[in-house]
Amino acid sequence: MPDPRRIRILVAKPGLDGHDRGAKVVARGLRDAGMEVIYTGLRQTPAMIVNAALQEDVDCIGLSILSGAHNAIVPELMEEMRKQHMEGVLVVLGGIVPESDIAELKKAGVAAVFPPGSRMSEIADFIRAHVPERPALVS
Amino acid sequence: MASTTHPPKQAEFTTISGVPVERVYTRADLPEGFDFKREVGEPGEPPYVRGIHETGYRGRLWTMRQFSGFATPEETNERYRYLLAQGQTGLSVAFDLPTLMGYDSDHAMAAGEVGKCGVAIDSIEDMERLFQGIRLEDVTTSMTINSPAAPIWAMFLVAAERQGADWKRVSGTLQNDILKEYIAQKEYIFPPAPSMRLVVDTIEFGARETPKFNPVSISGYHIREAGSTALQELAFTLRDGLEYVDWTLRRGLAIDDFAPRLSFFFNAHSDFFEEIAKYRAARKLWYRELTEHYGAKNPRSAKLRFHTQTAGVSLTAQQPYNNLTRVALQALAAVLGGTQSLHTNSLDEALALPTEEAVTLALRTQQIIAYETGVANTVDPLGGSWFVEKGTLEMENGARDYFRRIDEMGGMVAAVEQGFPQREIADASYRYQQALENGEKFMVGVNRFVTEEQPVPTLYIDETARQSQSAKLQALRQRRSSDAVQRNLSELRKVAATPSGNTMPAMLDCVRASCTLGEICDTLREVFGSYTETAIT
């Protein structure tokens, strides 16, 4: 059987916050876990993130938000994804998110929220288990 | 050690930064001929390793300054009055992200961010509301603002002026450390060179007009939070400080005109002795550089004064009450290291901005250290410990190595443009994460002694701050004279385009004419351009 295509993930830092330690550590960790990682850099709008995700044909978008702007950013991102028919792309979120917001974020379509202290292996395993099956590339 | 009933439980012991630690330290660990008087000295004497004041905290305790700001200026004003009533001795303003990025609260990029990580300040009127009922001549105020530091400071000075205060008597600190923004915190607006020019403008203006105000607080705090080691924090921060000195000298000021007002801001992380060594080495390095390299004659120029904040990044969302213990120990390290001012984090900060109860406990932690433990009764009680002196020496030597490498690159601005400090920090931060994952380093409640979670109460900030700020902006724009706004902004545009000019007077006039922060920063964006970094992972 040919090797399945490597999982491609876009690690994105939306909003105005510049604290990118978590995003960068996760990007490097997922790369070490065998995934192809594209990091957007700072201050991306939801439209910019969705556009990059389309261009890069990713399986998963990982958002890093510590500023409390998730309630504004996530619904807008989901709306942009719907417009682009990207329902099959997994969305996960890491950062500082109040417990009381998590249910609403999941209803909006976020598959998982990883709080501070999450292990890299836990994040990588979750993504592997939840990205939709894609046809293997045969070269 | 060949035979022992308790063999070492690990092959190697290291600090939290990964520096090897020996089983025991003796006088043999210090270099042969180590001249204690010359290399360490006494409190209040060069090279100030043991502190800049002969009497230490006997003469004056550190300033207890809790960083605080959320939602609207009105709500933050209430928190300030509460903290002052609880015995806090200085104010420290946390601004929200749109303010840090020079956007008004009704800008499209401000959606979801207004009042979340700090207070929203759009105009002089907000600044006046922030300090309503607090006399700026009577309290020292620190403001954590960097890229828009000059216009925010102008708002602060006009607010003081409207209270009838004398600028010569107003004291406080502007963070205004743009270099660490490119290195770590990443709230930059303009490219490095014009940003440096704005910093020099504030230093020059301050030297003339506000003798009690620190125009820059050179900040290692965020460098450490971005994942650096203690040594990297020390080295990059002091080298940033030297870069500001170089640029200000090029403007034509003499070293002793401004160096006494430069101050520093360090992190207090969890490795107790490593932190203490870092503060002691910082004082020595600054003294040596300022006197030997820059020829400072005024003793105040070479005395490094610093504020400390306990490490936000060390706090855990898991078992949050443990954070109270972490903070107490970190605060103790800062005090034993001789800090002039201290912020203790609140136990709930890995979850949200602090509740009133949590911030009160954090402040009480400082008060207990100050008034109950006795550690403030003597100066530098750890001086002369072989371990601490050796650690201090290692910090000094390691920082000098970094200075050399940065000098070879052409200075800090060039090093930042090449991504050097950014890469060093990203590597250190990833190494630490790996050490946590593979169990070489422990975090209680995260990878050791893990339990089921008990939720703690947290502060929740909703979207009403944005609505309130937007309404006030709309009313302000209708009320003010748009002629005066345009005239003052165009004057600012002209000065900004003249590299030898100082933008502060024009900035003050813009503020007096009720120009908003967004309008002032947009004007500067037109002249200076905006900065985008090459993302490094």
Side-chain angles (χ1 to χ4, degrees):
Chain A
M1 204 171 86
D3 281 346
R5 205 189 82 150
R6 285 217 290 172
I7 293 173
R8 287 170 69 80
I9 173 160
L10 185 77
V11 172
K13 193 81 190 118
L16 295 178
D17 177 37
H19 291 88
D20 56 2
R21 174 192 182 139
K24 288 158 83 164
V25 166
V26 167
R28 219 190 261 203
L30 294 178
R31 209 169 280 158
D32 282 359
M35 300 181 193
E36 283 185 48
V37 180
I38 301 109
Y39 173 51
T40 60
L42 298 173
R43 283 183 265 286
Q44 304 291 302
T45 62
M48 289 158 83
I49 293 168
V50 168
N51 189 36
L54 261 182
Q55 298 293 320
E56 299 285 351
D57 190 22
V58 299
D59 307 285
C60 174
I61 297 174
L63 299 168
S64 169
I65 308 177
L66 292 84
S67 69
H70 48 268
N71 291 335
I73 286 164
V74 167
E76 204 184 321
L77 181 97
M78 294 301 171
E79 182 54 37
E80 290 286 335
M81 287 178 73
R82 250 190 307 278
K83 276 192 221 155
Q84 304 292 344
H85 309 291
M86 290 170 68
E87 284 80 5
V89 174
L90 187 74
V91 177
V92 296
L93 172 60
I96 299 183
V97 175
E99 190 67 37
S100 54
D101 287 352
I102 291 179
E104 197 60 32
L105 289 169
K106 288 199 169 159
K107 219 158 65 184
V110 173
V113 176
F114 295 100
S118 301
R119 296 174 64 85
M120 275 313 314
S121 50
E122 190 189 330
I123 301 172
D125 289 348
F126 183 89
I127 293 171
R128 266 192 218 103
H130 290 85
V131 289
E133 287 275 329
R134 312 252 308 212
L137 281 187
V138 187
S139 52
Chain B
M1 297 299 285
S3 73
T4 167
T5 48
H6 296 292
K9 59 187 191 309
Q10 295 162 225
E12 200 189 26
F13 289 79
T14 59
T15 66
I16 206 165
S17 299
V19 179
V21 178
E22 303 300 328
R23 182 181 66 88
V24 67
Y25 286 80
T26 68
R27 76 181 70 230
D29 286 294
L30 293 173
E32 209 166 319
F34 183 79
D35 181 344
F36 194 89
K37 186 155 177 45
R38 187 185 135 70
E39 299 300 328
V40 182
E42 296 305 326
E45 285 176 19
Y48 303 113
V49 173
R50 308 200 66 185
I52 57 169
H53 299 301
E54 193 190 326
T55 53
Y57 300 128
R58 290 182 154 214
R60 183 178 169 190
L61 282 173
W62 61 92
T63 303
M64 299 181 191
R65 200 191 286 280
Q66 296 295 96
F67 184 48
S68 165
F70 60 94
T72 60
E74 292 85 348
E75 285 161 272
T76 298
N77 176 265
E78 272 176 47
R79 177 67 68 90
Y80 288 169
R81 291 180 191 222
Y82 171 81
L83 287 168
L84 290 169
Q86 296 306 309
Q88 177 172 295
T89 48
L91 294 176
S92 179
V93 186
F95 297 96
D96 70 358
L97 283 163
T99 308
L100 293 178
M101 291 300 296
Y103 293 122
D104 288 338
S105 295
D106 55 2
H107 190 283
M109 286 298 284
E113 311 263 23
V114 176
K116 289 283 166 66
C117 297
V119 61
I121 296 292
D122 293 318
S123 73
I124 172 63
E125 294 182 3
D126 284 339
M127 196 61 99
E128 290 184 277
R129 291 180 191 111
L130 185 65
F131 297 112
Q132 184 88 46
I134 299 167
R135 284 181 48 84
L136 293 174
E137 264 188 19
D138 298 342
V139 63
T140 86
T141 308
S142 167
M143 287 178 282
T144 301
I145 191 83
N146 294 286
S147 217
I152 285 286
W153 193 34
M155 287 184 189
F156 176 85
L157 290 173
V158 173
E161 178 179 279
R162 291 185 181 173
Q163 283 187 0
D166 178 356
W167 282 356
K168 299 255 187 289
R169 293 177 53 181
V170 171
S171 67
T173 302
L174 206 54
Q175 190 163 84
N176 200 16
D177 177 2
I178 200 62
L179 286 168
K180 69 99 178 121
E181 293 295 333
Y182 302 109
I183 296 172
Q185 197 180 356
K186 311 288 175 74
E187 307 301 336
Y188 41 67
I189 303 177
F190 319 112
S195 290
M196 288 297 284
R197 177 264 176 103
L198 286 177
V199 176
V200 174
D201 284 358
T202 57
I203 295 175
E204 184 184 42
F205 184 84
R208 229 173 27 230
E209 306 286 342
T210 59
K212 291 180 76 176
F213 213 96
N214 302 320
V216 192
S217 171
I218 306 145
S219 303
Y221 183 80
H222 316 85
I223 291 175
R224 193 65 178 282
E225 292 289 295
S228 82
T229 63
L231 173 62
Q232 289 168 349
E233 176 195 350
L234 173 71
F236 296 151
T237 307
L238 291 199
R239 189 57 191 76
D240 284 351
L242 299 174
E243 192 80 9
Y244 295 124
V245 168
D246 287 336
W247 283 61
T248 309
L249 291 172
R250 259 180 259 149
R251 176 67 67 87
L253 275 78
I255 186 77
D256 287 322
D257 290 344
F258 65 95
R261 296 248 58 93
L262 297 178
S263 67
F264 287 82
F265 174 21
F266 291 113
N267 198 297
H269 213 295
S270 295
D271 194 305
F272 197 73
F273 291 104
E274 182 170 58
E275 293 304 280
I276 291 165
K278 179 183 76 184
Y279 308 126
R280 297 172 92 250
R283 280 190 293 266
K284 183 180 186 181
L285 282 158
W286 193 245
Y287 167 76
R288 291 263 162 94
E289 289 294 323
L290 270 275
T291 53
E292 291 170 11
H293 188 247
Y294 293 96
K297 296 284 181 290
N298 180 350
R300 292 177 53 86
S301 296
K303 290 185 188 183
L304 180 145
R305 296 166 298 128
F306 68 105
H307 168 73
T308 308
Q309 180 175 342
T310 58
V313 75
S314 75
L315 304 183
T316 59
Q318 297 80 2
Q319 303 179 27
Y321 288 105
N322 293 344
N323 293 329
L324 204 55
T325 311
R326 291 189 177 100
V327 166
L329 292 167
Q330 293 164 0
L332 185 60
V335 167
L336 292 175
T339 196
Q340 271 69 52
S341 161
L342 181 59
H343 166 108
T344 33
N345 287 326
S346 302
L347 66 93
D348 50 359
E349 284 183 69
L351 302 161
L353 289 190
T355 61
E356 195 165 272
E357 188 192 20
V359 75
T360 307
L361 276 170
L363 176 61
R364 294 288 181 254
T365 304
Q366 293 198 42
Q367 292 162 336
I368 289 166
I369 292 172
Y371 298 106
E372 297 183 14
T373 64
V375 298
N377 290 343
T378 188
V379 192
D380 189 35
L382 295 176
S385 144
W386 291 309
F387 180 34
V388 169
E389 297 303 352
K390 168 80 170 180
T392 305
L393 204 60
E394 280 179 347
M395 282 281 177
E396 181 192 353
N397 293 336
R400 288 194 189 285
D401 281 343
Y402 267 120
F403 289 179
R404 264 192 294 278
R405 292 169 72 183
I406 293 164
D407 289 343
E408 280 164 14
M409 290 175 209
M412 203 50 163
V413 171
V416 162
E417 283 167 349
Q418 292 166 40
F420 170 70
Q422 297 94 312
R423 232 175 354 256
E424 288 285 299
I425 295 166
D427 289 348
S429 136
Y430 194 58
R431 271 198 302 275
Y432 182 67
Q433 183 63 29
Q434 285 178 312
L436 278 180
E437 300 260 337
N438 65 26
E440 279 167 44
K441 294 275 178 229
F442 301 152
M443 251 178 138
V444 173
V446 174
N447 67 357
R448 278 288 181 284
F449 316 111
V450 178
T451 51
E452 281 297 309
E453 292 307 311
Q454 296 295 324
V456 298
T458 52
L459 182 74
Y460 193 86
I461 295 155
D462 59 23
E463 293 300 307
T464 54
R466 185 164 202 233
Q467 293 150 13
S468 156
Q469 288 302 104
S470 300
K472 281 187 284 181
L473 272 166
Q474 212 175 357
L476 177 83
R477 291 194 187 109
Q478 274 167 6
R479 201 169 54 237
R480 65 187 187 177
S481 149
S482 53
D483 279 358
V485 167
Q486 290 315 321
R487 200 172 49 248
N488 283 292
L489 288 176
S490 93
E491 189 57 34
L492 174 63
R493 192 174 296 116
K494 231 174 354 192
V495 188
T498 314
S500 60
N502 191 315
T503 52
M504 275 308 291
M507 214 91 77
L508 284 156
D509 285 338
C510 287
V511 167
R512 291 185 185 109
S514 294
C515 299
T516 66
L517 182 67
E519 289 163 342
I520 294 173
C521 290
D522 281 346
T523 302
L524 297 176
R525 280 184 184 96
E526 282 170 37
V527 182
F528 296 151
S530 302
Y531 181 74
T532 313
E533 71 169 11
T534 314
I536 296 165
T537 56

